[in-house]
Amino acid sequence: MDAIFQRKSYRGAYLPDPVPRADLTTLLEAGLSAPSGCNKQTTSLIAVDDPALLREIFSIMDLPDCKSAPAVICVLTKHIAAYRDGWGKERCYSVQDYAAAIENILLEAVQLGYQSCWIEGHVTDADEQGKRIAEMLAVPDYYELVAVLPIGKAAEPLQSVQKRPFSERAWFNRFGQE
Ligand SMILES: Cc1cc2nc3c(=O)[nH]c(=O)nc-3n(C[C@H](O)[C@H](O)[C@H](O)COP(=O)(O)O)c2cc1C
């Protein structure tokens, strides 16, 4: 619960200290350990710590807030069916799969003293930044790059957003019942 409560979307500057490969590997393992629908493991990950590649990614993303991050984790998904239901309809859980992987990474990042932010809107908008980043990283076209997670130590204070009260969003036994 400590990591869950401490996690915030961080959009400030990062300290220049590189993220050790051992920590990046731990973060990748955290992501890959997430559950996936029918264990299809549709999520793949690329940790980028090469400064030249980071510069190129940030020039494509045009997000001033995370430009100083010393590493990013790129989240890739493969849209494959988990199973076909009794009516012949294909069920694909790739979105849920990568969401679970991202949350694992964000929580482990907090545990290791790093900050991050789930950046998906920016990379999957109509200007297709994700597609351009994927091309740059030689990602095969049967994967879609759906999110980028900057990783690094915060150089600025964290900001909290207001969450609606528990009693407005969670109940026992019946909707709305305390
Ligand atoms: C699916 C999804 C997409 C998101 N995309 C972006 C994004 O493109 N850029 C960004 O700055 N934050 C993005 N966020 C972070 C949310 O804005 C953030 O989680 C929300 O404001 C709540 O703040 P908190 O993470 O500090 O609790 C995204 C979060 C989710 C779950």
Side-chain angles (χ1 to χ4, degrees):
M1 290 307 284
D2 287 347
I4 290 171
F5 286 138
Q6 280 168 25
R7 187 211 57 80
K8 316 272 175 219
S9 291
Y10 181 72
R11 301 186 184 85
Y14 286 86
L15 296 175
D17 322 14
V19 182
R21 277 282 166 96
D23 287 354
L24 284 175
T25 304
T26 301
L27 293 171
L28 298 176
E29 279 172 350
L32 299 182
S33 302
S36 65
C38 293
N39 194 29
K40 291 291 179 192
Q41 303 175 47
T42 54
T43 310
S44 292
L45 303 164
I46 303 177
V48 179
D49 59 0
D50 176 332
L53 286 176
L54 287 168
R55 270 194 300 280
E56 282 196 56
I57 289 175
F58 293 135
S59 73
I60 293 172
M61 280 174 56
D62 193 26
L63 265 186
D65 297 338
C66 65
K67 267 190 164 42
S68 52
V72 299
I73 294 179
C74 296
V75 180
L76 312 176
T77 184
K78 219 169 19 176
H79 296 274
I80 55 166
Y83 69 99
R84 201 177 278 276
D85 72 14
W87 294 267
K89 186 177 168 213
E90 278 193 348
R91 307 300 313 275
C92 175
Y93 293 116
S94 56
V95 174
Q96 294 88 332
D97 296 348
Y98 76 72
I102 290 175
E103 185 65 1
N104 270 12
I105 295 170
L106 296 180
L107 293 177
E108 182 57 18
V110 170
Q111 191 71 22
L112 295 174
Y114 297 110
Q115 300 302 324
S116 186
C117 183
W118 182 326
I119 299 177
E120 174 166 348
H122 286 98
V123 298
T124 54
D125 281 349
D127 58 348
E128 299 192 320
Q129 296 175 7
K131 208 168 175 179
R132 285 186 278 150
I133 297 169
E135 276 167 17
M136 206 212 11
L137 300 177
V139 174
D141 59 9
Y142 47 89
Y143 279 99
E144 186 188 354
L145 192 157
V146 282
V148 169
L149 313 174
I151 303 289
K153 305 254 177 181
E156 294 175 36
L158 308 193
Q159 310 275 342
S160 294
V161 295
Q162 196 74 31
K163 303 274 177 182
R164 284 165 51 209
F166 182 97
S167 61
E168 283 184 12
R169 294 176 65 197
W171 307 286
F172 292 97
N173 296 318
R174 298 247 185 307
F175 188 96
Q177 184 170 291
E178 289 185 15

